[in-house]
Amino acid sequence: MKPRIVIPNVAPEAYQALMNLEKYISSTSLTPIHKELIKIRASQINGCAFCINMHTADARKHGISEQRIYLISAWREADFYTEEEKAILALTEQVTLIGNHVSDEVYENAAKLFDEKYLAEILLAIITINSWNRLAITTGMRAS
């Protein structure tokens, strides 16, 4: 697929709004590891090669091991993730696959582990990467 419309050129104000949301996520108290787990898992579910490529590289820079990166898509069967990371991955999956809704069990588990502000930051990070995935996939951005 060749690249399609270039949103920053055609709708710079809208693109800047999304960039501002990303800047907000960067300024939150979310740990770099939590941010990258969210970004990688949502991007895997959405099939966004561009974002998977970018965020696995970022994960390595933040010290996430190759083994943990490789096993993100099978996190339930791996013993390499903390209880908090598992809650974040479960929430990421359900928010990304929102047509199935977010179960009370998954939400309440996350709410038990994180205070309201951190939970809000998690949700906003999930929503933001899903927006980036949709933009990259729809406009034909490719991993290279």
Side-chain angles (χ1 to χ4, degrees):
M1 173 190 295
K2 65 180 180 175
R4 297 174 178 167
I5 192 170
V6 180
I7 296 296
N9 296 345
V10 179
E13 297 86 2
Y15 186 79
Q16 188 57 52
L18 190 53
M19 285 298 297
N20 287 339
L21 188 53
E22 185 64 40
K23 286 178 189 171
Y24 168 77
I25 298 303
S26 296
S27 74
T28 65
S29 62
L30 289 174
T31 70
I33 291 172
H34 289 170
K35 288 179 208 175
E36 295 310 325
L37 291 176
I38 289 166
K39 291 175 180 182
I40 294 167
R41 187 64 191 123
S43 299
Q44 288 173 332
I45 292 166
N46 289 322
C48 184
F50 181 85
C51 292
I52 293 168
N53 187 51
M54 177 191 312
H55 296 298
T56 53
D58 290 346
R60 287 180 193 93
K61 290 176 191 170
H62 291 295
I64 300 177
S65 71
E66 294 292 319
Q67 189 175 40
R68 283 172 38 93
I69 292 170
Y70 299 150
L71 291 170
I72 291 171
S73 64
W75 62 269
R76 286 179 182 82
E77 292 81 35
D79 296 327
F80 304 107
Y81 304 97
T82 67
E83 185 179 5
E84 291 80 12
E85 291 168 345
K86 289 177 181 180
I88 287 170
L89 290 165
L91 194 55
T92 298
E93 289 178 355
Q94 289 197 358
V95 173
T96 300
L97 299 167
I98 198 72
N100 299 322
H101 295 263
V102 176
S103 72
D104 290 339
E105 177 185 358
V106 165
Y107 185 85
E108 289 167 9
N109 184 52
K112 175 182 73 177
L113 294 168
F114 305 106
D115 65 35
E116 270 192 333
K117 182 164 177 30
Y118 203 85
L119 182 56
E121 292 170 350
I122 291 168
L123 293 171
L124 289 165
I126 297 167
I127 291 163
T128 302
I129 189 59
N130 273 283
S131 295
W132 285 119
N133 289 165
R134 282 150 178 75
L135 183 66
I137 291 167
T138 305
T139 61
M141 296 174 73
R142 302 190 47 88
S144 56

